[in-house]
Amino acid sequence: MLYFLPYSLKGVLSILLYTLNTILLTIPLILISFFKFLIPVPSVVVVLDKILISIATLWIGVNSFNSKLFCKIEWDIRGLEKLEKKEWYLIISNHQSWVDILALQTTLNQKIPLLKFFLKKELIWVPFLGLAWWALDFPFMKRYSKKQLKEKPHLKNKDLASTKKACEKFKHTPVSIMNFVEGTRFTQHKNKSQNNHFNHLLIPKAGGIAFVLSSMGDYLNKIIDVTIVYPDKIPTFWQYISGQVNRIIIDFEVIPLTDSLTGDYFNDPEYKDRFCIWLNALWQKKDEKIKTLKA
């Protein structure tokens, strides 16, 4: 392993390997997705989807090797044995850095179904990755501003309907839908500006999870509550790829998806209140867990 190299050289070599891996594996992803478009036969689509997922799994595997090549990280992983590869999961997590995504992909690759994110429609134009996300059926959402929804209330239902249609593709193959509940990365400044009662978290946004449950409630089986902790300090992407991260703690807790957690969040005030109480209690528990793990 190349731990002995200077940080700057490790970072440059690592990012070159990330780029090369992405370019080389995006090409077959796009070609196979083209066949999905030409032959929309369900049995053929299922087979092609499995091939696409295998390519994505290889991409994550190469990225994980990249990390091991340049980074000497002590991984403290808890609860991983409770996870299964043939389940439909909703994954919720605290969010502090872009490193969170790399850490989760490294830890969960081939342990559960491929992680998929709800993405803003504009992200499809990201070079190579946008096409890869499209080929892998990541749901692209067109989000509307509060002003637009106020002027045209029907757009809210249109967004939900289009997302449900996109999620129909997941009923044949197990999937893990990822949601960073806080909606943005944690910083002390954001924490203070919210004036909330959490020490290590931002206020969770219930609407995002409720949107996923409304779109995919018929397909999801369980919720995975993920707590990510960086004991030294929250790293940047550059610090991670250049080998400046020493330890990462990730705790997984499986929560059954019961009927009490599903409902019409946008039109049922009673369910909305109940769901928000549940989520805030979960976040309070997570805040205490982070305090313990940091200690």
Side-chain angles (χ1 to χ4, degrees), residues 226-246:
V226 183
T227 304
I228 305 173
V229 174
Y230 304 102
D232 300 324
K233 66 174 182 177
I234 298 173
T236 63
F237 174 73
W238 173 257
Q239 288 169 340
Y240 177 80
I241 66 171
S242 60
Q244 299 181 58
V245 179
N246 298 317

Side-chain angles (χ1 to χ4, degrees), residues 128-222:
F128 293 101
L129 284 175
L131 288 173
W133 291 327
W134 170 78
L136 289 165
D137 291 325
F138 279 50
F140 285 92
M141 299 166 56
K142 184 174 182 180
R143 302 311 301 268
Y144 300 100
S145 66
K146 291 182 179 179
K147 182 180 179 181
Q148 288 175 307
L149 292 175
K150 186 176 181 180
E151 294 174 352
K152 301 177 180 179
H154 69 280
L155 290 178
K156 179 175 68 175
N157 295 326
K158 182 180 179 182
D159 195 10
L160 186 60
S162 62
T163 305
K164 283 185 176 180
K165 184 178 179 181
C167 293
E168 285 284 326
K169 300 173 184 178
F170 300 149
K171 65 182 180 181
H172 300 296
T173 305
V175 67
S176 303
I177 295 295
M178 183 73 220
N179 188 293
F180 289 115
V181 183
E182 295 153 303
T184 184
R185 285 168 287 169
F186 173 90
T187 66
Q188 290 295 343
H189 175 71
K190 292 176 185 176
N191 179 264
K192 291 179 181 178
S193 66
Q194 286 187 346
N195 193 29
N196 66 59
H197 59 282
F198 303 118
N199 294 312
H200 308 287
L201 299 167
L202 301 178
I203 296 172
K205 296 184 177 181
I209 309 179
F211 188 91
V212 175
L213 291 175
S214 296
S215 304
M216 294 190 61
D218 295 338
Y219 309 126
L220 298 171
N221 301 135
K222 297 175 182 176

Side-chain angles (χ1 to χ4, degrees), residues 59-60 63-64 100-109 115 117:
W59 178 77
I60 295 171
N63 287 342
S64 299
D100 298 342
I101 297 173
L102 295 173
L104 286 172
Q105 287 181 332
T106 297
T107 307
L108 294 173
N109 193 32
L115 289 178
F117 300 79

Side-chain angles (χ1 to χ4, degrees), residues 39-52:
I39 315 172
V41 179
S43 57
V44 175
V45 170
V46 169
V47 173
L48 294 178
D49 276 339
K50 290 180 178 179
I51 297 173
L52 289 170

